[in-house]
Amino acid sequence: MPKGTAQPPEMPSHQAAGPVSPTDMTVQPPHDAEAERAVLGACMHGPDVIDEVRAMLDAGDFYRPHHETIWRALLALRGEDKPTDPIAVSDLLTRQGDINRVGGIVYVHQLYGAPPSASHAAYYADIVRRAAALRRLREHGFRTVQRTQEPGADPDEIRSAIETDIGTERERALASGCGRLSRYLVDGWRFVTETGADKEPLWGTREKTAWASGESLMIVGAPGVGKTTLAHQVILARIGLQESVLDMPVAPSKRVLYLAMDRPQQIARAMARRIGVKDEAILRERLAVWQGPLPATLDKEPDLLSDLAAAHQADTIVIDSLKDAVSTLVDDALAVAFQNARMRALRNGVEVMELHHQRKSPAEAARDQRPALDRVYGSTWITSGAGSVLFISGEASDPAVTLHHLKTPTGEIGPLQLIHDHVHGTTTVDPALDPVTILRAAPGGLSVRDLAIAQTGAANPDRAAVEKARRALDSLVKAGLATKADGIAGGTGGGQQARYHASARHIAAVC
């Protein structure tokens, strides 16, 4: 707190360091006064913040008594649907006769500016909650020590008392609604309408989404096919250095944290192709890069992703690559542990992108170009928890590769034939196999089968290729770029297939 700040007399903010005697009650219990101030200040910024925090904290979780008093005032104002700003809080505390006891009006106003970010209120509240849980465990420990020192102490009675203490603590947490079983609980209506299901995508459109908000994006492929090249373009778009990737819009972010664990020098050289001196200010402000191994693997520390994002004030985190972040990817239990880490980050508002490898070696991949989720290396739970999976097939260093959308949040994208410019670090869609280009070049229109033949090069495309072609053409009709003439039902000799034609709007747009 700055010099001259109004504040009630209190002991130092943090618990004492060093070894502590188990019976020394003079040592400060675990707490974090700064986190308590940040929580209260954040809650003054709006009622929604209070609703989020009160699902995590009970009034007794505040170590400082004056903080508990201010928290109760905030809850009272929220319960009456009144403003919760410093003026309203000070007025209520004054009427209650508590304003001087909490440090005065000046202190209440200073709390308003205490949190580095009001949007991180839940993170600060979790610090307060954990400190409160440690204090209660400490108190249980002291009581246990005291019981063992009483004359005629009975170990069975002590053990029973410990179990009672634990049961009471569990009931307290559940009854207050701030225990781990209810911290993220919402009612059904809020779940459907307020948990992000209707958010704009991070990359793509609502009809064809490559990366959905609140869901992870995984880019998979063999070494050298351009995973990092594609990922870098999305990252640079996220920080505002370009607007779209593969002709699909990318939503901006506040700050990206890039975990460059796999050959960071090569990652730096690859990114250097796309940036110049003019980009220095944005790169310094909006991109942070972690070089080399993490302090622990994500299966061992599931909160590490969230903690890293919070520490670097990032709303997007990129894992390059997944094999360096988890102890092993083939073990189902560890894959589930990673999914837990992934979901904790997403739940805390951190968007996640992952770069990963395919199951087979490049030589084997050359013989089997079949794009499928079972070709992604590791346990099936790795891909099961991902929101979107993009698979790049091709030869290492080949400028021409194919992008398959194996797991889709909405409509399927592609397959897209991509052209990498390895000199400039850019990727474009090859127009030769683009449905709109093929349609525009067909004066008599196309049937679904015609497009499937053109895209696959096969005289008899399989059912999956035909269905993909159908979806592509129908999406063009929906976008107003094509028209559809219904076919005629078959009889003797068969009928006629529906045909699609480029619309006047489409022709005008490309001309």
Side-chain angles (χ1 to χ4, degrees), residues 199-235:
K199 287 184 178 179
E200 290 294 327
L202 304 179
W203 180 23
T205 63
R206 287 177 178 264
E207 292 75 23
K208 293 189 176 183
T209 301
W211 188 3
S213 178
E215 301 180 29
S216 68
L217 165 65
M218 180 182 292
I219 302 177
V220 182
V225 297
K227 298 186 299 296
T228 299
T229 297
L230 182 59
H232 285 182
Q233 292 169 80
V234 178
I235 292 166

PDB file of all heavy atoms in Angstrom, residues 199-235:
ATOM      1  N   LYS A 199     -20.906 -17.792 -28.273  1.00  0.00           N
ATOM      2  CA  LYS A 199     -19.831 -16.846 -28.552  1.00  0.00           C
ATOM      3  C   LYS A 199     -19.362 -16.961 -29.999  1.00  0.00           C
ATOM      4  O   LYS A 199     -19.453 -18.013 -30.611  1.00  0.00           O
ATOM      5  CB  LYS A 199     -18.647 -17.095 -27.610  1.00  0.00           C
ATOM      6  CG  LYS A 199     -18.876 -16.645 -26.174  1.00  0.00           C
ATOM      7  CD  LYS A 199     -17.611 -16.841 -25.358  1.00  0.00           C
ATOM      8  CE  LYS A 199     -17.799 -16.362 -23.940  1.00  0.00           C
ATOM      9  NZ  LYS A 199     -16.553 -16.575 -23.130  1.00  0.00           N
ATOM     10  N   GLU A 200     -18.837 -15.867 -30.491  1.00  0.00           N
ATOM     11  CA  GLU A 200     -18.238 -15.882 -31.821  1.00  0.00           C
ATOM     12  C   GLU A 200     -16.981 -16.753 -31.792  1.00  0.00           C
ATOM     13  O   GLU A 200     -16.258 -16.779 -30.799  1.00  0.00           O
ATOM     14  CB  GLU A 200     -17.874 -14.465 -32.262  1.00  0.00           C
ATOM     15  CG  GLU A 200     -19.070 -13.574 -32.570  1.00  0.00           C
ATOM     16  CD  GLU A 200     -19.849 -14.063 -33.786  1.00  0.00           C
ATOM     17  OE1 GLU A 200     -19.223 -14.611 -34.719  1.00  0.00           O
ATOM     18  OE2 GLU A 200     -21.092 -13.908 -33.796  1.00  0.00           O
ATOM     19  N   PRO A 201     -16.696 -17.475 -32.882  1.00  0.00           N
ATOM     20  CA  PRO A 201     -15.504 -18.337 -32.894  1.00  0.00           C
ATOM     21  C   PRO A 201     -14.213 -17.527 -32.865  1.00  0.00           C
ATOM     22  O   PRO A 201     -14.180 -16.362 -33.277  1.00  0.00           O
ATOM     23  CB  PRO A 201     -15.642 -19.121 -34.199  1.00  0.00           C
ATOM     24  CG  PRO A 201     -16.530 -18.278 -35.066  1.00  0.00           C
ATOM     25  CD  PRO A 201     -17.465 -17.579 -34.135  1.00  0.00           C
ATOM     26  N   LEU A 202     -13.151 -18.152 -32.395  1.00  0.00           N
ATOM     27  CA  LEU A 202     -11.837 -17.518 -32.393  1.00  0.00           C
ATOM     28  C   LEU A 202     -11.233 -17.529 -33.794  1.00  0.00           C
ATOM     29  O   LEU A 202     -10.468 -16.640 -34.156  1.00  0.00           O
ATOM     30  CB  LEU A 202     -10.906 -18.247 -31.422  1.00  0.00           C
ATOM     31  CG  LEU A 202     -11.397 -18.373 -29.981  1.00  0.00           C
ATOM     32  CD1 LEU A 202     -10.379 -19.141 -29.152  1.00  0.00           C
ATOM     33  CD2 LEU A 202     -11.656 -17.001 -29.373  1.00  0.00           C
ATOM     34  N   TRP A 203     -11.559 -18.568 -34.559  1.00  0.00           N
ATOM     35  CA  TRP A 203     -11.046 -18.686 -35.932  1.00  0.00           C
ATOM     36  C   TRP A 203     -12.113 -19.376 -36.767  1.00  0.00           C
ATOM     37  O   TRP A 203     -12.548 -20.481 -36.464  1.00  0.00           O
ATOM     38  CB  TRP A 203      -9.746 -19.492 -35.928  1.00  0.00           C
ATOM     39  CG  TRP A 203      -9.106 -19.691 -37.272  1.00  0.00           C
ATOM     40  CD1 TRP A 203      -9.280 -18.922 -38.389  1.00  0.00           C
ATOM     41  CD2 TRP A 203      -8.193 -20.718 -37.650  1.00  0.00           C
ATOM     42  NE1 TRP A 203      -8.534 -19.402 -39.442  1.00  0.00           N
ATOM     43  CE2 TRP A 203      -7.838 -20.504 -39.011  1.00  0.00           C
ATOM     44  CE3 TRP A 203      -7.612 -21.794 -36.975  1.00  0.00           C
ATOM     45  CZ2 TRP A 203      -6.972 -21.336 -39.693  1.00  0.00           C
ATOM     46  CZ3 TRP A 203      -6.742 -22.626 -37.666  1.00  0.00           C
ATOM     47  CH2 TRP A 203      -6.412 -22.390 -39.001  1.00  0.00           C
ATOM     48  N   GLY A 204     -12.553 -18.685 -37.811  1.00  0.00           N
ATOM     49  CA  GLY A 204     -13.599 -19.238 -38.658  1.00  0.00           C
ATOM     50  C   GLY A 204     -14.901 -18.477 -38.503  1.00  0.00           C
ATOM     51  O   GLY A 204     -14.942 -17.363 -37.978  1.00  0.00           O
ATOM     52  N   THR A 205     -15.971 -19.099 -38.936  1.00  0.00           N
ATOM     53  CA  THR A 205     -17.301 -18.513 -38.853  1.00  0.00           C
ATOM     54  C   THR A 205     -18.189 -19.423 -38.015  1.00  0.00           C
ATOM     55  O   THR A 205     -17.820 -20.540 -37.673  1.00  0.00           O
ATOM     56  CB  THR A 205     -17.913 -18.357 -40.256  1.00  0.00           C
ATOM     57  OG1 THR A 205     -18.075 -19.659 -40.846  1.00  0.00           O
ATOM     58  CG2 THR A 205     -17.001 -17.519 -41.147  1.00  0.00           C
ATOM     59  N   ARG A 206     -19.385 -18.945 -37.713  1.00  0.00           N
ATOM     60  CA  ARG A 206     -20.316 -19.776 -36.943  1.00  0.00           C
ATOM     61  C   ARG A 206     -20.681 -21.045 -37.697  1.00  0.00           C
ATOM     62  O   ARG A 206     -20.912 -22.088 -37.088  1.00  0.00           O
ATOM     63  CB  ARG A 206     -21.588 -18.983 -36.613  1.00  0.00           C
ATOM     64  CG  ARG A 206     -21.396 -17.924 -35.539  1.00  0.00           C
ATOM     65  CD  ARG A 206     -22.672 -17.137 -35.331  1.00  0.00           C
ATOM     66  NE  ARG A 206     -22.523 -16.144 -34.285  1.00  0.00           N
ATOM     67  CZ  ARG A 206     -22.883 -16.317 -33.027  1.00  0.00           C
ATOM     68  NH1 ARG A 206     -23.395 -17.476 -32.660  1.00  0.00           N
ATOM     69  NH2 ARG A 206     -22.733 -15.360 -32.131  1.00  0.00           N
ATOM     70  N   GLU A 207     -20.755 -20.943 -39.027  1.00  0.00           N
ATOM     71  CA  GLU A 207     -21.122 -22.117 -39.825  1.00  0.00           C
ATOM     72  C   GLU A 207     -19.953 -23.085 -39.965  1.00  0.00           C
ATOM     73  O   GLU A 207     -20.146 -24.300 -39.989  1.00  0.00           O
ATOM     74  CB  GLU A 207     -21.595 -21.680 -41.214  1.00  0.00           C
ATOM     75  CG  GLU A 207     -22.908 -20.926 -41.227  1.00  0.00           C
ATOM     76  CD  GLU A 207     -22.761 -19.493 -40.740  1.00  0.00           C
ATOM     77  OE1 GLU A 207     -21.626 -18.962 -40.810  1.00  0.00           O
ATOM     78  OE2 GLU A 207     -23.760 -18.904 -40.285  1.00  0.00           O
ATOM     79  N   LYS A 208     -18.744 -22.559 -40.071  1.00  0.00           N
ATOM     80  CA  LYS A 208     -17.544 -23.389 -40.214  1.00  0.00           C
ATOM     81  C   LYS A 208     -16.479 -22.862 -39.270  1.00  0.00           C
ATOM     82  O   LYS A 208     -15.786 -21.889 -39.571  1.00  0.00           O
ATOM     83  CB  LYS A 208     -17.047 -23.380 -41.657  1.00  0.00           C
ATOM     84  CG  LYS A 208     -17.995 -24.072 -42.620  1.00  0.00           C
ATOM     85  CD  LYS A 208     -17.370 -24.229 -43.999  1.00  0.00           C
ATOM     86  CE  LYS A 208     -18.293 -25.004 -44.931  1.00  0.00           C
ATOM     87  NZ  LYS A 208     -17.667 -25.243 -46.261  1.00  0.00           N
ATOM     88  N   THR A 209     -16.363 -23.513 -38.130  1.00  0.00           N
ATOM     89  CA  THR A 209     -15.493 -23.042 -37.058  1.00  0.00           C
ATOM     90  C   THR A 209     -14.244 -23.905 -36.950  1.00  0.00           C
ATOM     91  O   THR A 209     -14.339 -25.116 -36.731  1.00  0.00           O
ATOM     92  CB  THR A 209     -16.243 -23.057 -35.712  1.00  0.00           C
ATOM     93  OG1 THR A 209     -17.397 -22.217 -35.816  1.00  0.00           O
ATOM     94  CG2 THR A 209     -15.358 -22.578 -34.586  1.00  0.00           C
ATOM     95  N   ALA A 210     -13.094 -23.270 -37.096  1.00  0.00           N
ATOM     96  CA  ALA A 210     -11.830 -23.986 -36.907  1.00  0.00           C
ATOM     97  C   ALA A 210     -11.427 -24.011 -35.442  1.00  0.00           C
ATOM     98  O   ALA A 210     -10.817 -24.976 -34.974  1.00  0.00           O
ATOM     99  CB  ALA A 210     -10.730 -23.336 -37.744  1.00  0.00           C
ATOM    100  N   TRP A 211     -11.774 -22.950 -34.702  1.00  0.00           N
ATOM    101  CA  TRP A 211     -11.398 -22.852 -33.281  1.00  0.00           C
ATOM    102  C   TRP A 211     -12.527 -22.145 -32.556  1.00  0.00           C
ATOM    103  O   TRP A 211     -12.787 -20.973 -32.776  1.00  0.00           O
ATOM    104  CB  TRP A 211     -10.096 -22.079 -33.147  1.00  0.00           C
ATOM    105  CG  TRP A 211      -9.484 -22.064 -31.773  1.00  0.00           C
ATOM    106  CD1 TRP A 211      -9.921 -22.709 -30.653  1.00  0.00           C
ATOM    107  CD2 TRP A 211      -8.301 -21.357 -31.386  1.00  0.00           C
ATOM    108  NE1 TRP A 211      -9.095 -22.450 -29.590  1.00  0.00           N
ATOM    109  CE2 TRP A 211      -8.083 -21.636 -30.007  1.00  0.00           C
ATOM    110  CE3 TRP A 211      -7.406 -20.535 -32.059  1.00  0.00           C
ATOM    111  CZ2 TRP A 211      -7.006 -21.092 -29.299  1.00  0.00           C
ATOM    112  CZ3 TRP A 211      -6.343 -19.998 -31.363  1.00  0.00           C
ATOM    113  CH2 TRP A 211      -6.136 -20.274 -30.004  1.00  0.00           C
ATOM    114  N   ALA A 212     -13.223 -22.877 -31.699  1.00  0.00           N
ATOM    115  CA  ALA A 212     -14.358 -22.330 -30.966  1.00  0.00           C
ATOM    116  C   ALA A 212     -13.898 -21.763 -29.628  1.00  0.00           C
ATOM    117  O   ALA A 212     -13.009 -22.315 -28.970  1.00  0.00           O
ATOM    118  CB  ALA A 212     -15.412 -23.412 -30.742  1.00  0.00           C
ATOM    119  N   SER A 213     -14.502 -20.678 -29.216  1.00  0.00           N
ATOM    120  CA  SER A 213     -14.191 -20.089 -27.914  1.00  0.00           C
ATOM    121  C   SER A 213     -14.572 -21.061 -26.803  1.00  0.00           C
ATOM    122  O   SER A 213     -15.647 -21.654 -26.817  1.00  0.00           O
ATOM    123  CB  SER A 213     -14.967 -18.780 -27.739  1.00  0.00           C
ATOM    124  OG  SER A 213     -14.721 -18.219 -26.469  1.00  0.00           O
ATOM    125  N   GLY A 214     -13.665 -21.241 -25.841  1.00  0.00           N
ATOM    126  CA  GLY A 214     -13.922 -22.148 -24.730  1.00  0.00           C
ATOM    127  C   GLY A 214     -13.640 -23.599 -25.039  1.00  0.00           C
ATOM    128  O   GLY A 214     -13.908 -24.469 -24.203  1.00  0.00           O
ATOM    129  N   GLU A 215     -13.103 -23.890 -26.231  1.00  0.00           N
ATOM    130  CA  GLU A 215     -12.731 -25.256 -26.611  1.00  0.00           C
ATOM    131  C   GLU A 215     -11.326 -25.235 -27.199  1.00  0.00           C
ATOM    132  O   GLU A 215     -10.945 -24.271 -27.869  1.00  0.00           O
ATOM    133  CB  GLU A 215     -13.726 -25.821 -27.634  1.00  0.00           C
ATOM    134  CG  GLU A 215     -15.161 -25.860 -27.144  1.00  0.00           C
ATOM    135  CD  GLU A 215     -16.107 -26.425 -28.189  1.00  0.00           C
ATOM    136  OE1 GLU A 215     -15.665 -27.254 -29.008  1.00  0.00           O
ATOM    137  OE2 GLU A 215     -17.282 -26.014 -28.209  1.00  0.00           O
ATOM    138  N   SER A 216     -10.572 -26.286 -26.957  1.00  0.00           N
ATOM    139  CA  SER A 216      -9.196 -26.298 -27.437  1.00  0.00           C
ATOM    140  C   SER A 216      -9.129 -26.621 -28.931  1.00  0.00           C
ATOM    141  O   SER A 216      -9.993 -27.308 -29.470  1.00  0.00           O
ATOM    142  CB  SER A 216      -8.369 -27.322 -26.662  1.00  0.00           C
ATOM    143  OG  SER A 216      -8.785 -28.641 -26.960  1.00  0.00           O
ATOM    144  N   LEU A 217      -8.078 -26.105 -29.574  1.00  0.00           N
ATOM    145  CA  LEU A 217      -7.771 -26.416 -30.972  1.00  0.00           C
ATOM    146  C   LEU A 217      -6.494 -27.238 -31.008  1.00  0.00           C
ATOM    147  O   LEU A 217      -5.487 -26.846 -30.412  1.00  0.00           O
ATOM    148  CB  LEU A 217      -7.584 -25.140 -31.792  1.00  0.00           C
ATOM    149  CG  LEU A 217      -6.922 -25.309 -33.167  1.00  0.00           C
ATOM    150  CD1 LEU A 217      -7.802 -26.144 -34.089  1.00  0.00           C
ATOM    151  CD2 LEU A 217      -6.609 -23.953 -33.788  1.00  0.00           C
ATOM    152  N   MET A 218      -6.520 -28.383 -31.710  1.00  0.00           N
ATOM    153  CA  MET A 218      -5.333 -29.221 -31.872  1.00  0.00           C
ATOM    154  C   MET A 218      -4.977 -29.278 -33.352  1.00  0.00           C
ATOM    155  O   MET A 218      -5.817 -29.583 -34.196  1.00  0.00           O
ATOM    156  CB  MET A 218      -5.602 -30.632 -31.333  1.00  0.00           C
ATOM    157  CG  MET A 218      -4.415 -31.577 -31.460  1.00  0.00           C
ATOM    158  SD  MET A 218      -4.808 -33.253 -30.853  1.00  0.00           S
ATOM    159  CE  MET A 218      -4.978 -32.938 -29.106  1.00  0.00           C
ATOM    160  N   ILE A 219      -3.722 -28.957 -33.658  1.00  0.00           N
ATOM    161  CA  ILE A 219      -3.209 -29.060 -35.030  1.00  0.00           C
ATOM    162  C   ILE A 219      -2.222 -30.219 -35.061  1.00  0.00           C
ATOM    163  O   ILE A 219      -1.218 -30.209 -34.350  1.00  0.00           O
ATOM    164  CB  ILE A 219      -2.526 -27.758 -35.475  1.00  0.00           C
ATOM    165  CG1 ILE A 219      -3.518 -26.586 -35.379  1.00  0.00           C
ATOM    166  CG2 ILE A 219      -2.001 -27.892 -36.890  1.00  0.00           C
ATOM    167  CD1 ILE A 219      -2.912 -25.240 -35.742  1.00  0.00           C
ATOM    168  N   VAL A 220      -2.524 -31.234 -35.892  1.00  0.00           N
ATOM    169  CA  VAL A 220      -1.778 -32.490 -35.894  1.00  0.00           C
ATOM    170  C   VAL A 220      -1.127 -32.703 -37.256  1.00  0.00           C
ATOM    171  O   VAL A 220      -1.693 -32.331 -38.286  1.00  0.00           O
ATOM    172  CB  VAL A 220      -2.720 -33.673 -35.569  1.00  0.00           C
ATOM    173  CG1 VAL A 220      -1.936 -34.987 -35.511  1.00  0.00           C
ATOM    174  CG2 VAL A 220      -3.453 -33.436 -34.263  1.00  0.00           C
ATOM    175  N   GLY A 221       0.037 -33.338 -37.263  1.00  0.00           N
ATOM    176  CA  GLY A 221       0.673 -33.696 -38.517  1.00  0.00           C
ATOM    177  C   GLY A 221       2.052 -34.254 -38.280  1.00  0.00           C
ATOM    178  O   GLY A 221       2.598 -34.194 -37.168  1.00  0.00           O
ATOM    179  N   ALA A 222       2.633 -34.812 -39.331  1.00  0.00           N
ATOM    180  CA  ALA A 222       3.992 -35.331 -39.252  1.00  0.00           C
ATOM    181  C   ALA A 222       4.977 -34.166 -39.183  1.00  0.00           C
ATOM    182  O   ALA A 222       4.637 -33.028 -39.536  1.00  0.00           O
ATOM    183  CB  ALA A 222       4.281 -36.204 -40.478  1.00  0.00           C
ATOM    184  N   PRO A 223       6.211 -34.404 -38.755  1.00  0.00           N
ATOM    185  CA  PRO A 223       7.217 -33.334 -38.745  1.00  0.00           C
ATOM    186  C   PRO A 223       7.413 -32.749 -40.141  1.00  0.00           C
ATOM    187  O   PRO A 223       7.481 -33.472 -41.135  1.00  0.00           O
ATOM    188  CB  PRO A 223       8.487 -34.049 -38.263  1.00  0.00           C
ATOM    189  CG  PRO A 223       7.991 -35.223 -37.476  1.00  0.00           C
ATOM    190  CD  PRO A 223       6.737 -35.665 -38.174  1.00  0.00           C
ATOM    191  N   GLY A 224       7.471 -31.429 -40.199  1.00  0.00           N
ATOM    192  CA  GLY A 224       7.797 -30.771 -41.459  1.00  0.00           C
ATOM    193  C   GLY A 224       6.651 -30.461 -42.385  1.00  0.00           C
ATOM    194  O   GLY A 224       6.871 -29.918 -43.479  1.00  0.00           O
ATOM    195  N   VAL A 225       5.392 -30.754 -41.976  1.00  0.00           N
ATOM    196  CA  VAL A 225       4.270 -30.498 -42.888  1.00  0.00           C
ATOM    197  C   VAL A 225       3.656 -29.114 -42.693  1.00  0.00           C
ATOM    198  O   VAL A 225       2.722 -28.749 -43.402  1.00  0.00           O
ATOM    199  CB  VAL A 225       3.164 -31.579 -42.744  1.00  0.00           C
ATOM    200  CG1 VAL A 225       3.692 -32.939 -43.138  1.00  0.00           C
ATOM    201  CG2 VAL A 225       2.582 -31.577 -41.335  1.00  0.00           C
ATOM    202  N   GLY A 226       4.169 -28.343 -41.734  1.00  0.00           N
ATOM    203  CA  GLY A 226       3.693 -26.961 -41.595  1.00  0.00           C
ATOM    204  C   GLY A 226       2.774 -26.688 -40.432  1.00  0.00           C
ATOM    205  O   GLY A 226       2.044 -25.695 -40.464  1.00  0.00           O
ATOM    206  N   LYS A 227       2.801 -27.527 -39.389  1.00  0.00           N
ATOM    207  CA  LYS A 227       1.958 -27.257 -38.217  1.00  0.00           C
ATOM    208  C   LYS A 227       2.330 -25.916 -37.579  1.00  0.00           C
ATOM    209  O   LYS A 227       1.459 -25.083 -37.297  1.00  0.00           O
ATOM    210  CB  LYS A 227       2.131 -28.374 -37.169  1.00  0.00           C
ATOM    211  CG  LYS A 227       1.725 -29.744 -37.619  1.00  0.00           C
ATOM    212  CD  LYS A 227       1.785 -30.742 -36.472  1.00  0.00           C
ATOM    213  CE  LYS A 227       3.177 -30.893 -35.873  1.00  0.00           C
ATOM    214  NZ  LYS A 227       4.158 -31.449 -36.822  1.00  0.00           N
ATOM    215  N   THR A 228       3.637 -25.733 -37.359  1.00  0.00           N
ATOM    216  CA  THR A 228       4.091 -24.502 -36.717  1.00  0.00           C
ATOM    217  C   THR A 228       3.846 -23.296 -37.612  1.00  0.00           C
ATOM    218  O   THR A 228       3.452 -22.227 -37.136  1.00  0.00           O
ATOM    219  CB  THR A 228       5.584 -24.614 -36.361  1.00  0.00           C
ATOM    220  OG1 THR A 228       5.761 -25.697 -35.439  1.00  0.00           O
ATOM    221  CG2 THR A 228       6.094 -23.345 -35.717  1.00  0.00           C
ATOM    222  N   THR A 229       4.060 -23.456 -38.912  1.00  0.00           N
ATOM    223  CA  THR A 229       3.814 -22.355 -39.854  1.00  0.00           C
ATOM    224  C   THR A 229       2.365 -21.891 -39.773  1.00  0.00           C
ATOM    225  O   THR A 229       2.083 -20.682 -39.706  1.00  0.00           O
ATOM    226  CB  THR A 229       4.137 -22.797 -41.288  1.00  0.00           C
ATOM    227  OG1 THR A 229       5.524 -23.115 -41.377  1.00  0.00           O
ATOM    228  CG2 THR A 229       3.811 -21.701 -42.289  1.00  0.00           C
ATOM    229  N   LEU A 230       1.431 -22.841 -39.757  1.00  0.00           N
ATOM    230  CA  LEU A 230       0.012 -22.492 -39.679  1.00  0.00           C
ATOM    231  C   LEU A 230      -0.318 -21.887 -38.318  1.00  0.00           C
ATOM    232  O   LEU A 230      -1.025 -20.872 -38.236  1.00  0.00           O
ATOM    233  CB  LEU A 230      -0.840 -23.740 -39.932  1.00  0.00           C
ATOM    234  CG  LEU A 230      -2.357 -23.532 -39.933  1.00  0.00           C
ATOM    235  CD1 LEU A 230      -2.771 -22.524 -40.998  1.00  0.00           C
ATOM    236  CD2 LEU A 230      -3.084 -24.863 -40.137  1.00  0.00           C
ATOM    237  N   ALA A 231       0.211 -22.504 -37.253  1.00  0.00           N
ATOM    238  CA  ALA A 231      -0.072 -22.002 -35.898  1.00  0.00           C
ATOM    239  C   ALA A 231       0.429 -20.577 -35.729  1.00  0.00           C
ATOM    240  O   ALA A 231      -0.250 -19.733 -35.123  1.00  0.00           O
ATOM    241  CB  ALA A 231       0.558 -22.920 -34.857  1.00  0.00           C
ATOM    242  N   HIS A 232       1.626 -20.275 -36.261  1.00  0.00           N
ATOM    243  CA  HIS A 232       2.165 -18.925 -36.124  1.00  0.00           C
ATOM    244  C   HIS A 232       1.265 -17.886 -36.780  1.00  0.00           C
ATOM    245  O   HIS A 232       1.102 -16.775 -36.260  1.00  0.00           O
ATOM    246  CB  HIS A 232       3.563 -18.864 -36.738  1.00  0.00           C
ATOM    247  CG  HIS A 232       4.615 -19.504 -35.886  1.00  0.00           C
ATOM    248  ND1 HIS A 232       5.944 -19.532 -36.222  1.00  0.00           N
ATOM    249  CD2 HIS A 232       4.527 -20.140 -34.691  1.00  0.00           C
ATOM    250  CE1 HIS A 232       6.622 -20.158 -35.284  1.00  0.00           C
ATOM    251  NE2 HIS A 232       5.786 -20.551 -34.355  1.00  0.00           N
ATOM    252  N   GLN A 233       0.672 -18.234 -37.898  1.00  0.00           N
ATOM    253  CA  GLN A 233      -0.218 -17.279 -38.560  1.00  0.00           C
ATOM    254  C   GLN A 233      -1.456 -17.009 -37.718  1.00  0.00           C
ATOM    255  O   GLN A 233      -1.927 -15.865 -37.624  1.00  0.00           O
ATOM    256  CB  GLN A 233      -0.599 -17.815 -39.941  1.00  0.00           C
ATOM    257  CG  GLN A 233       0.591 -17.853 -40.894  1.00  0.00           C
ATOM    258  CD  GLN A 233       0.286 -18.623 -42.164  1.00  0.00           C
ATOM    259  OE1 GLN A 233      -0.346 -18.104 -43.076  1.00  0.00           O
ATOM    260  NE2 GLN A 233       0.724 -19.875 -42.239  1.00  0.00           N
ATOM    261  N   VAL A 234      -1.980 -18.042 -37.068  1.00  0.00           N
ATOM    262  CA  VAL A 234      -3.140 -17.849 -36.183  1.00  0.00           C
ATOM    263  C   VAL A 234      -2.740 -16.998 -34.976  1.00  0.00           C
ATOM    264  O   VAL A 234      -3.480 -16.103 -34.553  1.00  0.00           O
ATOM    265  CB  VAL A 234      -3.707 -19.207 -35.731  1.00  0.00           C
ATOM    266  CG1 VAL A 234      -4.880 -19.004 -34.777  1.00  0.00           C
ATOM    267  CG2 VAL A 234      -4.154 -20.034 -36.930  1.00  0.00           C
ATOM    268  N   ILE A 235      -1.558 -17.264 -34.418  1.00  0.00           N
ATOM    269  CA  ILE A 235      -1.084 -16.493 -33.262  1.00  0.00           C
ATOM    270  C   ILE A 235      -0.908 -15.022 -33.635  1.00  0.00           C
ATOM    271  O   ILE A 235      -1.353 -14.123 -32.898  1.00  0.00           O
ATOM    272  CB  ILE A 235       0.256 -17.070 -32.755  1.00  0.00           C
ATOM    273  CG1 ILE A 235       0.039 -18.458 -32.159  1.00  0.00           C
ATOM    274  CG2 ILE A 235       0.892 -16.144 -31.714  1.00  0.00           C
ATOM    275  CD1 ILE A 235       1.326 -19.230 -31.947  1.00  0.00           C
TER     276      ILE A 235
END
